[in-house]
Structure formats: structure tokens, C-alpha cells
Amino acid sequence: RDIIYIKETPQKFLPRGGFLHTNRLFFWLQLVPILTLGLCYLINRKTQRLRTDVRYARKLLAPRKAKQGISRARVCLERKNLAGFYDCVFTTLQGYLGDRFHLPSQGITASVIDEITSGKQISPEILSKLRDIFKECDMARYAASGLRQQDMQQTLNRLQEAIDYFEANKI
């Protein structure tokens, strides 16, 4: 009972299935780890550059900060807060230009704009808009008379146009 005899004639051999390396799905699944490794490498390089390259990080985050400043200015516009509106516009423009050109934000005024933009291909119309925004902000901060709701809306539109110009032209 416990001894099994050798079979003299084998049964029919049945194929068990194809080899794994001939399966197309197996081949394509081998690319998943390679692509994942490549993606991790690219993400690591990007975060490393953001940590080490301050100029790049400031330039990359400038539009997001400007968008937040513009939304705060819109809130002040809706509340008809003249001083708060022009303060938001002024700090937004200063911060954006400082981040964009890698300069200290607090030192940027209307008189510094020409120094910042010298040697760069910037439209004279945009430079004029920037100067006008700084003049209106200074006028609102130091002599608050004569500014209306319509002027505030135009200032906000000019600020948005200037920021859009700098983002579109990657200056």
C-alpha cells in the first residue's frame, strides 16, 4: 500500500499555461516601478530646488501671494474701506515686485521701478500703470481726499493687468 510503482506509460501531458514573461500585461506592469522611481526623483529635485534656491522659490510663489493680496483688496473694496484697500494694493504690488525680481519688498517704491526694470523688455504702458498705482496709493495714504469707488476699481484692474503681464511674459 505504501509503495507506489513506476508507471510504464505516462498519461497525456496537459499544458499548464503560458510562461509569465510572454504575457503582455506582465511586461507593462514592469514599467510601473520604473515610472514611480522617475516620478519620485523629479519630485525630490523640485522640492530640493525650492529649499535651496531662494530666488526660484520667491519667483514661483509670487503669483499666489499676489492673488491673495488682490482678493484682500477686493474685500476692502466691497466694504468701501479706502485706507485698507490702498494699503492692500500697495503691499501686494511691493511684495509681488520684490519676489519677482528678488529684491527686498519694503524698499520698492515708484522711484525704484525704473531701476528694477532697466535692461528688461517691459512695455512702457505697464511701467506707466505701475507708477500710477504707486502714486494713487501714496495719495490715498497721505492725502485721502478725492478718491472714489470707481478709482479704486480702476486701480485694482491696473494691478491685475500688470501682474498678468509679468506672468505672461515671464520677465
Side-chain angles (χ1 to χ4, degrees), residues 31-153:
L31 293 178
V32 172
I34 295 170
L35 293 176
T36 304
L37 186 64
L39 183 64
C40 289
Y41 175 74
L42 291 176
I43 290 171
N44 186 27
R45 280 191 58 196
K46 177 95 171 174
T47 55
Q48 192 69 18
R49 185 171 182 197
L50 282 173
R51 274 191 229 128
T52 57
D53 191 356
V54 176
R55 179 181 215 123
Y56 173 74
R58 285 182 74 187
K59 195 172 188 178
L60 189 68
L61 295 175
R64 187 181 312 159
K65 286 182 183 179
K67 189 179 280 188
Q68 291 171 352
I70 288 172
S71 65
R72 283 193 308 268
R74 277 205 178 96
V75 169
C76 290
L77 178 67
E78 290 170 1
R79 294 181 183 169
K80 298 180 182 178
N81 181 0
L82 183 84
F85 171 78
Y86 281 104
D87 187 45
C88 283
V89 168
F90 186 74
T91 56
T92 299
L93 188 56
Q94 267 189 331
Y96 179 77
L97 292 175
D99 289 343
R100 193 80 179 138
F101 297 112
H102 193 59
L103 297 169
S105 299
Q106 302 302 323
I108 297 175
T109 60
S111 60
V112 184
I113 290 177
D114 292 326
E115 295 173 22
I116 292 172
T117 58
S118 65
K120 296 177 175 55
Q121 300 294 331
I122 297 176
S123 166
E125 180 184 332
I126 295 298
L127 292 175
S128 169
K129 287 180 182 184
L130 291 175
R131 286 188 204 101
D132 289 343
I133 292 169
F134 276 118
K135 284 178 190 175
E136 288 174 9
C137 289
D138 287 341
M139 192 167 73
R141 291 167 67 197
Y142 301 117
S145 63
L147 294 172
R148 301 170 300 176
Q149 182 90 6
Q150 190 176 33
D151 296 334
M152 293 166 64
Q153 184 63 44

Side-chain angles (χ1 to χ4, degrees), residues 21-40:
H21 72 278
T22 59
N23 189 347
R24 287 184 188 219
L25 180 64
F26 176 76
F27 174 74
W28 288 109
L29 286 176
Q30 297 306 306
L31 293 178
V32 172
I34 295 170
L35 293 176
T36 304
L37 186 64
L39 183 64
C40 289

